[in-house]
Structure formats: C-alpha cells, structure tokens
Amino acid sequence: MRISNSNSNTTAAVRNLGILAHVDAGKTTVTERILFATGAIHKRGEVHEGTTVTDYDPQERDRGITIFAAAVSCAWDGHRVNLIDTPGHVDFADEVERSLRVLDGAVAVFDAVAGVEPQSESVWRQADRHGVPRIAFVNKLDRAGADLDAAVASIRERLGAVPLVVQLPVGREDGFTGVVDLLRMRALLWGADGGSYEELPVPGPLLEEARRRRRLLEETVAGLHAEALEEFCAGEGLGAGTLVRALRELTLAGDGVVVLCGSAYRNRGIEPLLDAVVAYLPAPADMPPVRERAADPAEPLAALAFKVTATTTGRLTYLRVYAGTLRKGDSVLDPATGRTERVGRILRVQADRHEEREEAVAGDIVAVVGLKSARAGTSLCAPEAPLLLEPPVVADPVVSVAVEAGRGTDTGRLASALARLAEEDPSLAVRTDAETGQTVLSGLGELHLEVAVEKVRRLHGVEVVVGRPRVSYRETVVRGATGFVYRHVKQDGGAGQFAHVVLDVEPLGEPGFEFRSAVTGGRVPQEYARAVEAGCRDALDEGPLGGHPVTGVRVVLTDGATHSKDSSEMAFRAAGRFALRDALRACGVELLEPVAEVTVTVPDEGVGAVLGDLAARRGRVTGSAGQAGTTVVTATVPLAELFGYASRLRGRTQGRGAFTSRPAGLAPVPAGVAATLTAR
C-alpha cells in the first residue's frame, strides 16, 4: 500500500478525475474504498447504511443514490488525487456534465453482471464530447453471474471502445479473491477482511490462461502503437515498461481503454486501480493549454466555476484552477460582466468537510468563500489578464410542475428558495405562467423535481404544494411557405418605423433554427438582416398550435425594402418577429414531445403484463433479450407517459421489475393526442 502525504504543488503530481457509471454500479463504494486505501478516512462507509463520505446529503442517504456531485481529495504514491463522485441517475446528468467540463480524466465503473447499462453509455458519450481520457473498472466480480469477459465485450460492442484488459480474476463469484496483474505476471490476493493485498506468483491453474491473455494484450497494443509494434516485431514480446508507456499514450489519445477489475464492496482491486490512475490518466500538465495559457502556477490566473452550493457557513463556489495561483484575499475578475470580487477563503473540499488553505495553484480543484455573483460556468481570472473560458453546456428542462406555498405567508420565502435552487443548479428553471400566474419549476425529470421540492421543504422550512408534472412540448415545421411578404409600417408622430421583408420558411429536418439572407443588391443592409434574424428568434418562443417553442425551422430572407428615414434595426426586428409569426400559421406545423429510451428488466412471467402496459403508454418496443430467468425489454416511450411508471411496474411484477430511462430526443405527437393537447 503506497499512502503518501505529499503536498506537492507540481501539476505533474496531480490527477483530477471523476467516477462515472450507471446508478447502482458501485461508484460511491469505489470512491469510499479509494479514500480508505489512501488513508483519507479510517473507517469504510456503506451506501446501504448511509455512512459514505460523498453521499452526505440527507436525501442521498434516504434514497441510497448519488444526487449531487461531491469532490474529495486524497494522496497516493506521491500524487494528489482530486476526485469527483458523480451521479448515475439520468435526471442528474447535468451534474455529470459540469463535472466533466473541469476534469482531466475519469474512471468508468461497470457492473460485472450487467456490463454496459443505459446510463453507463450516456456518461461515456458525455466524456467523449469533452475528450476526457478514461480507464474502466469492472466492479462486483463477487456477485453471482459476474463475467469479466462479457462485461468487456459490452464495452467493445456498445461503446465502440478498444478494451485493453490488464488483469485476470482469481476465482469466480463468491470465490473471487484477487487478480493476476498481466503486466508484471504476478497475483494480487486479498484476505477475507479486505485489508492489504499479498503479492504472490501466478497460481498454476491460471498460468497458461494468464500467458495467453498477456500475449493478446501485447498484440492489441502493438496494433495500435508504433513504438510497441517495433519492439513486438523485433523480439519475443513487449516488456512491462514498454507496455505501461504505450497504455498511457493510448489512454491519453483515446485510442484504447485500460480495463481493471475487482469488488469495491469487499475492498478487492482498489490499490491497483489507484496505481492505474497515476500511471495512465493525465496530469494537468499533460492537457493542452487553455486559450494559450499553460497549467503553470506562474501564469496569470484562469479558473472556471463549475458548482455553487449554499451551506450553513456561507456560499461555496467550486473552482477548477487552470493556470496561475489564487491566494486568499485576491481580487478576481468575471470577464463576462466586468465585475471584480474578492476571495475571502480557499478550501480543500472533502465532501461536506473543508480544510482551509492559503492558496490554490494550476491544476487544483477547490472551493472559495466570498464570491457573491459567480455562477456555474463563470470564468474568473486575474484583473490585469482577462480570459473568458467556455462554460459547461446546460441541458434544456423537459418536465415542469406548478408549485405554490402551502401558507400564503410563505410566498416570499418560496420565491427566494426557488431562486437559490436555480442558482445552484442551472438545469432547473423557474418562471411565472403568463396565463395562470402560477410559479412553474422545470427540470430534467420527475425525480429531479422531487429532489428540488424536498430540498425547499427541508432546508428552507417552506411547505410546498406541487401540481402534476407536465412535459415541455415543441412545435416544428413539416410543410413550409415561400414568398411570405410582411410590411411593417408605424407612424405615431415623430420618427416612424418602416420595414419590408419577404421570407421563405422551410423544415430544417432536425432540432434547431437556421437563418440566412439571400437578398442581393443591398436592398436589405446586413445590419437590418441581423435584426430580422433576431426578430425571427423572438417569434420562435410561441408556436401557432399551443404556444410551445418552435424548433426545426429554416428561414431565408429573400427580399425586402427600406425607407431612407424611417427604417431602423428596431423596425426590422419587429418585422421579422411578426412576419415569422404569421408565416408559421400558414405553414404545416406539428407537435413534438420528448421521448425516452426505456430499459425494463422483468421476470419472464411478467413480460406480457409489461408489454401491454408499455403499449398503453404509447411505447414502441425496440428489442428484448433473455437473461437468467428475466427478460430485458427496450422501448421508446413518451416522457409524459412515464410519470408514475415506477410504482405501476412494481405492482405488475410483485416488486421484482426495474427500469431505467434516458432522453431520446423529440418525436411527433400522434394526431389524436395532439388534438387533445392543443384543445386544452
């Protein structure tokens, strides 16, 4: 065991990584065991007992799942490991997105029985978008039905990755006691108490299989890495040093994924996993400079806020420092607003516990106290060297509920609590319905909203009355209109307004909006064309069917005219808004609804009831597969039909059924259903 108390500030000795996985794959247990193995904690906590470090929120302990990304820090083999335990439930994917924006690497955890599950795939794709190098840890090898090879095959087939398996399990299921390290051809065996491992020769019955797998690893690496190929062809194989270098370079390039295995619950396989984190995942210095500013403490400060939380001791703003040094008392600039704020305190975070520090340097992930206006996605930099960083992408809310205070005297407190919620979680939105005057809370799923409302009740002491969830519909153009003429003339004394536009409106074929000007001869100057585009975007807020936002439309400005005195950007913006609003009424428009890909695991005898229920919910079954007395059904189901599905599924399967879902985009609403919705 190589515990280190090193406080080295060199970025080469830092690893910033996230733990990613499907819900219940064992992320939080892996995190807990890492903290135990590194000496950061001295007693192992358990998810089912509500005693883990990172699941410290009361709702996380009540529900037994990770809801909020939690940062912890530990030391291993002379390296500082900053680790974020991310949620695995699809409703909290935005927490994963914000975390991935500031991480250099990740450990993807997979269940050895289930392999790649729906949310495993979703978080993997999120990491792909951010270019985050990963290693894989196949967990729960002590479970009945655990199969490393099947899990690795699912990584290859479902994720399109090249798995580079560097370990072989010793024993199966309850008899799993350790692993064979294929790089150094040694066995690592743990005792029944899950303490330190013992290093032994490879057991005789496994020696031939270990040699075969080592040869397969060498062949795979040689096929991907030029230096390894040269050594492989020149001699009898690859040395351990060459393999380690090649595996690191393939990991950093995203050309391969190192795969390790173990059982976090039984504390088997964690130390080799930490060794792999240090050996294969990047340091901040390995990452490209951020906007030409290197990960160097001597550079001007560049940092990104990725999370904001309110605590009993004040407002915490979590930062990733990309360059420079941040000291207590420093003034930092928000280049987007030009506002300068002072850093009161700097904290190294251990979930809900904090250790005060005098400074943070390039590569650090810390929390600061004293920033009043910074939000998730805010850039912070040295006032004399402004630098704007790209913020994390925020997902659009898809589910809404009406909320009101249970007591009239609490209305103001509810508004304040909801505003604070939206500040902490950008994927939550709060608005007032123009027609009903109700306060509407929107988020990424039913559970997301349940957690938000419960947070208001627990932390702010406000009793909340919640309406039935509603999904966010969209409208789209399926049949366009060409040559639509609109003439905006307004004369009410003083300077008038004049704008003449001709628009073509077409289906775009995918979500989004596209605008272009095809006007020739300067009949509509470029600045007025931009104003028309802005007006068209204004018109997209409310469609003709039911006042829902419009997407999937292309607008072409084909002609127009101006007046020498009365034309202005304001006039052309108004013309663009009114022209597109009227043009949409002349187009063929259909209603879209959010749909989800649902994976239902059900005992074989309950399949008929589940299929019937999915059909009643307008679900379209896309596949089914048998798996040891159970059937896994996949289907695409409208999100509006999934409210309350968990309790219905439990009732139809005597509590033995389970399901997961993930967003699958938008789909047309059937005509009969659309007529009912638009008539409301």
Side-chain angles (χ1 to χ4, degrees):
M1 185 179 294
R2 290 182 295 283
I3 299 173
S4 168
N5 293 317
S6 169
N7 288 317
S8 172
N9 279 336
T10 62
T11 58
V14 174
R15 297 292 183 274
N16 293 316
L17 65 134
I19 307 293
L20 312 174
H22 185 89
V23 67
D24 287 336
K27 283 180 296 69
T28 300
T29 304
V30 169
T31 304
E32 190 76 9
R33 299 306 187 259
I34 285 175
L35 294 177
F36 181 74
T38 57
I41 60 174
H42 302 290
K43 182 182 178 182
R44 291 173 292 189
E46 305 295 349
V47 172
H48 60 275
E49 295 175 357
T51 55
T52 60
V53 171
T54 52
D55 282 357
Y56 59 86
D57 186 89
Q59 289 203 69
E60 293 179 310
R61 294 185 168 178
D62 290 348
R63 298 174 186 270
I65 62 171
T66 301
I67 295 173
F68 309 107
V72 291
S73 186
C74 56
W76 181 258
D77 196 21
H79 292 72
R80 169 62 52 187
V81 179
N82 298 316
L83 190 152
I84 297 180
D85 179 22
T86 65
H89 195 285
V90 64
D91 281 17
F92 308 105
D94 211 56
E95 286 272 330
V96 182
E97 186 73 20
R98 292 196 297 275
S99 299
L100 283 170
R101 174 62 182 82
V102 299
L103 293 172
D104 300 324
V107 175
V109 180
F110 300 95
D111 187 315
V113 178
V116 175
E117 298 173 270
Q119 191 60 12
S120 311
E121 188 172 350
S122 294
V123 296
W124 189 273
R125 302 302 177 208
Q126 285 179 280
D128 279 344
R129 290 196 300 273
H130 288 278
V132 174
R134 280 141 282 169
I135 61 177
F137 182 70
V138 178
N139 191 27
K140 302 189 178 183
L141 274 174
D142 57 317
R143 284 185 60 196
D147 188 332
L148 174 62
D149 291 338
V152 169
S154 69
I155 292 172
R156 182 184 298 107
E157 293 159 9
R158 294 198 59 177
L159 303 180
V162 179
L164 304 168
V165 184
V166 297
Q167 292 178 341
L168 169 66
V170 177
R172 292 180 58 84
E173 301 178 349
D174 280 347
F176 172 70
T177 57
V179 298
V180 173
D181 175 0
L182 297 177
L183 272 68
R184 295 170 179 84
M185 292 301 287
R186 57 179 181 164
L188 309 177
L189 303 179
W190 284 263
D193 62 348
S196 299
Y197 63 81
E198 185 179 6
E199 185 176 329
L200 297 169
V202 178
L206 290 176
L207 188 56
E208 190 59 36
E209 178 66 10
R211 287 171 176 161
R212 186 186 71 81
R213 290 180 181 245
R214 165 63 184 255
R215 184 69 176 179
L216 179 62
L217 174 64
E218 291 178 2
E219 291 173 355
T220 306
V221 169
L224 298 168
H225 190 274
E227 180 188 337
L229 177 61
E230 187 175 333
E231 182 175 321
F232 185 80
C233 294
E236 293 298 317
L238 299 180
T242 301
L243 263 178
V244 169
R245 284 195 304 276
L247 289 171
R248 176 177 173 79
E249 291 173 14
L250 291 172
T251 299
L252 298 187
D255 294 332
V257 178
V258 173
V259 180
L260 300 98
C261 60
S263 167
Y265 179 70
R266 298 188 185 276
N267 208 38
R268 294 169 186 168
I270 299 302
E271 295 93 335
L273 175 62
L274 280 163
D275 290 339
V277 164
V278 169
Y280 306 125
L281 291 180
D286 296 318
M287 306 303 290
V290 177
R291 302 283 301 276
E292 299 182 1
R293 198 166 290 183
D296 184 340
E299 288 275 333
L301 176 69
L304 183 70
F306 66 95
K307 185 178 175 69
V308 175
T309 61
T311 69
T312 54
T313 57
R315 186 176 185 270
L316 290 183
T317 305
Y318 290 77
L319 303 178
R320 163 66 191 268
V321 182
Y322 284 99
T325 301
L326 178 68
R327 296 181 178 86
K328 187 166 68 172
D330 280 355
S331 292
V332 293
L333 171 70
D334 176 353
T337 64
R339 187 180 291 117
T340 301
E341 296 194 82
R342 183 176 174 275
V343 174
R345 298 162 63 205
I346 301 174
L347 307 172
R348 173 168 284 160
V349 181
Q350 201 75 349
D352 59 339
R353 294 179 289 117
H354 312 116
E355 172 193 334
E356 193 149 351
R357 303 181 63 194
E358 291 299 312
E359 65 178 26
V361 300
D364 275 344
I365 293 178
V366 295
V368 298
V369 179
L371 305 183
K372 295 180 174 60
S373 60
R375 303 289 185 266
T378 297
S379 297
L380 298 170
C381 58
E384 68 277 7
L387 183 70
L388 187 63
L389 303 177
E390 182 182 351
V393 175
V394 179
D396 292 330
V398 294
V399 180
S400 302
V401 291
V403 294
E404 61 182 45
R407 297 184 297 270
T409 54
D410 283 344
T411 300
R413 291 175 62 204
L414 175 62
S416 175
L418 291 175
R420 181 171 290 182
L421 269 184
E423 177 184 311
E424 293 183 12
D425 184 351
S427 59
L428 287 171
V430 181
R431 64 178 176 85
T432 301
D433 189 287
E435 293 184 7
T436 65
Q438 290 179 307
T439 299
V440 178
L441 177 66
S442 303
L444 301 183
E446 196 173 5
L447 180 59
H448 189 205
L449 296 181
E450 281 181 19
V451 167
V453 169
E454 187 62 23
K455 196 170 183 180
V456 171
R457 288 176 177 146
R458 292 192 185 197
L459 294 185
H460 302 278
V462 179
E463 187 54 44
V464 184
V465 179
V466 181
R468 188 180 185 277
R470 298 174 59 187
V471 302
S472 299
Y473 293 94
R474 296 288 185 268
E475 299 177 25
T476 192
V477 172
V478 292
R479 187 186 68 254
T482 58
F484 193 89
V485 179
Y486 188 87
R487 187 179 177 88
H488 178 70
V489 180
K490 189 175 182 181
Q491 196 74 44
D492 51 6
Q497 293 186 26
F498 177 88
H500 177 86
V501 296
V502 182
L503 303 180
D504 286 353
V505 182
E506 308 165 354
L508 185 57
E510 60 184 6
F513 171 68
E514 185 180 297
F515 178 91
R516 66 183 178 89
S517 173
V519 180
T520 58
R523 292 173 60 80
V524 178
Q526 190 60 38
E527 61 270 23
Y528 290 168
R530 286 195 293 268
V532 173
E533 178 181 359
C536 288
R537 291 186 183 276
D538 294 340
L540 296 176
D541 290 342
E542 293 187 11
L545 291 181
H548 308 290
V550 180
T551 189
V553 60
R554 177 188 294 112
V555 175
V556 182
L557 176 64
T558 60
D559 203 357
T562 62
H563 187 277
S564 58
K565 293 183 178 180
D566 293 345
S567 288
S568 64
E569 290 186 22
M570 183 174 67
F572 272 89
R573 181 164 184 161
R577 181 171 69 253
F578 295 132
L580 183 55
R581 184 193 64 181
D582 293 349
L584 288 172
R585 295 193 181 106
C587 292
V589 179
E590 73 177 1
L591 195 63
L592 300 176
E593 63 182 342
V595 295
E597 181 185 294
V598 177
T599 302
V600 186
T601 304
V602 58
D604 289 341
E605 60 271 21
V607 172
V610 167
L611 291 176
D613 189 42
L614 288 173
R617 294 172 184 270
R618 298 192 283 121
R620 180 173 58 85
V621 175
T622 56
S624 65
Q627 185 179 349
T630 62
T631 299
V632 179
V633 178
T634 56
T636 302
V637 185
L639 190 60
E641 303 290 347
L642 283 177
F643 297 135
Y645 182 60
S647 57
R648 176 67 67 89
L649 178 63
R650 284 194 296 269
R652 288 180 176 270
T653 61
Q654 291 76 50
R656 297 166 63 197
F659 88 102
T660 59
S661 67
R662 61 173 178 169
L666 298 167
V669 178
V673 178
T676 303
L677 291 171
T678 53
R680 291 176 182 171

